[in-house]
Amino acid sequence: MAHQAGGQWPAPRPVPEGCEVQAYLQDYATLLEAVPLPSLVVDHRWNVVLANGAFETLFRGVRPHPTAMPGDNFLRFVLFHPDAAEILGDHEAGWCLPMLAHFETAVERYGHDHELQAVRRDIAQDPIMEAAYRQGLPHWIRAVGEAGTQLDGAVRLLVHPDPRRGPIECRIVEETPRTLQEIGCARLTMVLRDARRPAAASRRPRRARGAGTHLAVVPDPED
């Protein structure tokens, strides 16, 4: 298992299927650690069940946060951590809105899930995120189409902490074996692309607490 700044990544989260699945997850953690690319296993709430050392390295500079650490819940990290835009390039359109689209799908499927409902409450309490969810997301989906919301195969921007890499593209590859599917989990790997490939602008300035309530992706009221 990877280690988180200030401590260890959480151990595999309890699953109700018993010792056989727990043993599978332990062995799968060994497999994941052998992968040199950032890779993680998440459940339908985006709780991180497993993550490898390359994932830890990518987010090693993230400051502590009570609810939005990347090794705890990746959805919350993308939406709520003040450091997210420092690592996830093109944060609004490249990461935040696609994750909101996946969150919306999860809410439709697991509407009474208490953890998802807690995320929804936190979105509602953040004026910028609420504007993104209620206004920006439908506008963005109309612009990019449903295909643009798909995770597998998507190319995203990262700002790698290794200065030899810096801003770099990654392709997200989802490859989930049957056993993980049966316990409601998915595996995602960030395939770091050749640094010689041109990359777009990497990130937006960090959003200060108490900043304005308008996102660039949210249409102006007169639109």
Side-chain angles (χ1 to χ4, degrees), residues 168-206:
I168 190 172
E169 288 183 339
C170 76
R171 185 180 297 278
I172 299 175
V173 175
E174 180 178 351
E175 46 180 359
T176 305
R178 177 179 53 82
T179 302
L180 289 183
Q181 290 178 351
E182 290 175 349
I183 61 173
C185 292
R187 175 187 171 184
L188 304 170
T189 300
M190 302 176 185
V191 180
L192 307 182
R193 305 179 79 188
D194 192 330
R196 291 172 295 179
R197 303 181 190 181
S202 60
R203 56 184 170 181
R204 298 179 62 84
R206 179 184 298 171

Side-chain angles (χ1 to χ4, degrees), residues 123 126-137 213-215 218:
I123 289 173
D126 184 323
I128 291 180
M129 203 56 61
E130 180 71 0
Y133 187 63
R134 295 177 66 88
Q135 303 173 46
L137 183 60
T213 59
H214 184 77
L215 271 70
V218 178

Side-chain angles (χ1 to χ4, degrees), residues 58 87 157-169 195 202:
L58 183 60
I87 301 171
L157 294 176
L158 294 172
V159 182
H160 201 281
D162 186 339
R164 294 170 297 179
R165 285 181 161 172
I168 190 172
E169 288 183 339
S202 60

Side-chain angles (χ1 to χ4, degrees), residues 3-9 56 59-64 69:
H3 296 270
Q4 187 173 349
Q8 292 188 332
W9 292 114
E56 171 212 359
F59 297 100
R60 65 189 177 194
V62 169
R63 294 172 295 175
M69 293 303 289

Side-chain angles (χ1 to χ4, degrees), residues 44-190:
H44 71 275
R45 307 178 183 100
W46 288 86
N47 288 325
V48 176
V49 178
L50 301 170
N52 66 2
F55 184 86
E56 171 212 359
T57 297
L58 183 60
F59 297 100
R60 65 189 177 194
V62 169
R63 294 172 295 175
H65 189 284
T67 63
M69 293 303 289
D72 185 10
N73 185 289
F74 194 67
L75 171 70
R76 283 186 169 276
F77 171 73
V78 173
L79 299 186
F80 302 123
H81 200 295
D83 293 345
E86 297 297 304
I87 301 171
L88 307 176
D90 191 21
H91 178 244
E92 290 177 12
W95 294 91
C96 183
L97 286 165
M99 291 296 285
L100 283 174
H102 288 283
F103 170 72
E104 184 176 54
T105 299
V107 169
E108 291 174 355
R109 183 175 300 176
Y110 309 101
H112 299 293
D113 185 285
H114 69 280
E115 289 191 39
L116 293 176
Q117 290 301 320
V119 173
R120 182 64 187 96
R121 289 192 295 271
D122 288 347
I123 289 173
Q125 292 172 7
D126 184 323
I128 291 180
M129 203 56 61
E130 180 71 0
Y133 187 63
R134 295 177 66 88
Q135 303 173 46
L137 183 60
H139 176 77
W140 177 75
I141 291 176
R142 287 194 300 268
V144 303
E146 291 292 338
T149 69
Q150 299 303 309
L151 203 57
D152 182 48
V155 175
R156 303 284 186 250
L157 294 176
L158 294 172
V159 182
H160 201 281
D162 186 339
R164 294 170 297 179
R165 285 181 161 172
I168 190 172
E169 288 183 339
C170 76
R171 185 180 297 278
I172 299 175
V173 175
E174 180 178 351
E175 46 180 359
T176 305
R178 177 179 53 82
T179 302
L180 289 183
Q181 290 178 351
E182 290 175 349
I183 61 173
C185 292
R187 175 187 171 184
L188 304 170
T189 300
M190 302 176 185

